[in-house]
Amino acid sequence: MNAPFNTPAAFLPPGVKDRSFRILGDTGKGVMLIHGLTGAPQEMKPVGRVLHKKGFSLYGPMLAGHGGTEADLLKTDWRDWVDSAAAAYEAFAREVDEVYVAGICAGGAIGLELCARYPQIKGAAVYSMLFEYDGWNMPKITLGAPLIQAVANLPGLRSLSFAMPHPFGFKDPKMQALAGSIDSLIPGALDRMPLGCMYQLYRLARRVETVAPTIKAPVLVAHAREDDMANLKNAHRLAAALGGRTEVVVMEDSYHMIHVDREHAKLAAITADFFGAAQAVPAADMAVPA
């Protein structure tokens, strides 16, 4: 593993460790791995390990406002998250010949916003796209999207937060047990979602839907059939909005966190193939990474 690019201090909460990672490959192709809202870069490593075995360089940046507290995250909005990812892209693009982007949920949406901003990006993979929290296991508060978008950014409400209920986006029982302490599972991640951040996620999703017709890079849209947080129709809604070649892949043995759940190695292999990897991943390399 190589030293990460330094995340600009303006994007990091004071005193917070930059958890970005960078790993060099040998093909000239690189994948930016973009973590989700309230997440952290390490959650992208299971997919990244398979991509690296296929020769891709990797860069997992930490998004603005992440790695600290809920209050730190609430000081940022979706534009800050995109701007921090854009700074990461510009640094990474100087090191590799081709850049691809792959991200989970909000990270996937941010990757698409980068594709709109930088048409030279060669392709994108969007895992578990979320326009609405309409999965089978979502608390009632998340179903009030119109009301939330109207009032959630008000000073008295934006700092209120909620925890995702069991099974926390995982179908794998072992991952469910670990997710009881999300910071232990994903260092730097938060286990609660502030309403103000949920509001920003909705704004980001609407922005992506607006720019989607202009995106000409090929896009892989991967989604679990049994996603507990975002119904499969979110994936089809995104695919219908995109302007270029789009492939929808449905994962049959995972929940929302498909990038770390039971089928993460399969998902990574599909992504590598979509991004034009040179050779197939040996079966032995598709085991769950340590």
Side-chain angles (χ1 to χ4, degrees):
M1 182 179 298
N2 302 278
F5 301 114
N6 291 326
T7 299
F11 295 124
L12 293 178
V16 166
K17 177 182 178 181
D18 182 5
R19 298 181 182 274
S20 304
F21 65 88
R22 177 170 60 100
I23 306 174
L24 293 181
D26 57 11
T27 65
K29 293 185 175 186
V31 182
M32 254 187 68
L33 297 167
I34 309 175
H35 66 80
L37 179 58
T38 74
Q42 278 66 23
E43 69 179 291
M44 303 306 298
K45 284 186 174 179
V47 165
R49 288 189 178 100
V50 177
L51 291 171
H52 185 246
K53 288 173 182 176
K54 298 283 282 184
F56 291 96
S57 294
L58 309 176
Y59 183 27
M62 193 161 78
L63 298 174
H66 286 75
T69 65
E70 291 178 37
D72 291 328
L73 188 55
L74 281 165
K75 293 175 183 176
T76 63
D77 62 23
W78 71 269
R79 293 180 180 85
D80 297 313
W81 310 335
V82 171
D83 286 347
S84 61
Y89 163 77
E90 291 177 2
F92 193 40
R94 292 193 291 268
E95 186 168 276
V96 296
D97 300 325
E98 298 179 358
V99 177
Y100 300 80
V101 292
I104 175 68
C105 196
I110 290 167
L112 291 179
E113 177 68 14
L114 292 183
C115 288
R117 186 180 296 192
Y118 302 101
Q120 60 269 39
I121 292 175
K122 297 297 184 179
V126 181
Y127 307 147
S128 305
M129 180 63 189
L130 189 151
F131 289 104
E132 309 290 349
Y133 278 102
D134 56 359
W136 57 265
N137 195 43
M138 285 296 88
K140 291 181 180 179
I141 189 172
T142 65
L143 300 179
L147 178 61
I148 288 172
Q149 292 185 56
V151 303
N153 219 35
L154 295 176
L157 297 175
R158 65 190 310 271
S159 62
L160 297 178
S161 63
F162 62 93
M164 293 298 175
H166 185 277
F168 316 113
F170 299 103
K171 193 170 185 178
D172 185 336
K174 293 180 181 178
M175 300 302 289
Q176 293 172 13
L178 291 171
S181 177
I182 194 66
D183 183 63
S184 297
L185 178 63
I186 305 171
L190 295 173
D191 60 2
R192 300 185 66 85
M193 172 71 74
L195 286 185
C197 296
M198 185 177 176
Y199 168 83
Q200 294 297 332
L201 176 58
Y202 283 132
R203 292 186 67 196
L204 171 63
R206 301 304 181 267
R207 163 68 182 182
V208 167
E209 194 164 31
T210 299
V211 301
T214 72
I215 296 172
K216 303 307 179 186
V219 180
L220 172 69
V221 180
H223 210 96
R225 187 176 302 280
E226 299 179 275
D227 191 316
D228 55 324
M229 298 184 187
N231 190 282
L232 179 59
K233 65 185 180 183
N234 286 270
H236 293 299
R237 177 174 170 178
L238 174 61
L242 287 163
R245 178 171 72 88
T246 305
E247 180 179 336
V248 177
V249 172
V250 179
M251 312 304 290
E252 301 289 353
D253 196 26
S254 301
Y255 290 161
H256 185 74
M257 301 287 277
I258 55 176
H259 61 311
V260 285
D261 208 352
R262 287 175 169 175
E263 298 172 290
H264 71 267
K266 177 181 178 181
L267 176 67
I270 292 170
T271 302
D273 183 63
F274 189 82
F275 289 167
Q279 72 281 340
V281 178
D285 289 342
M286 292 181 61
V288 175

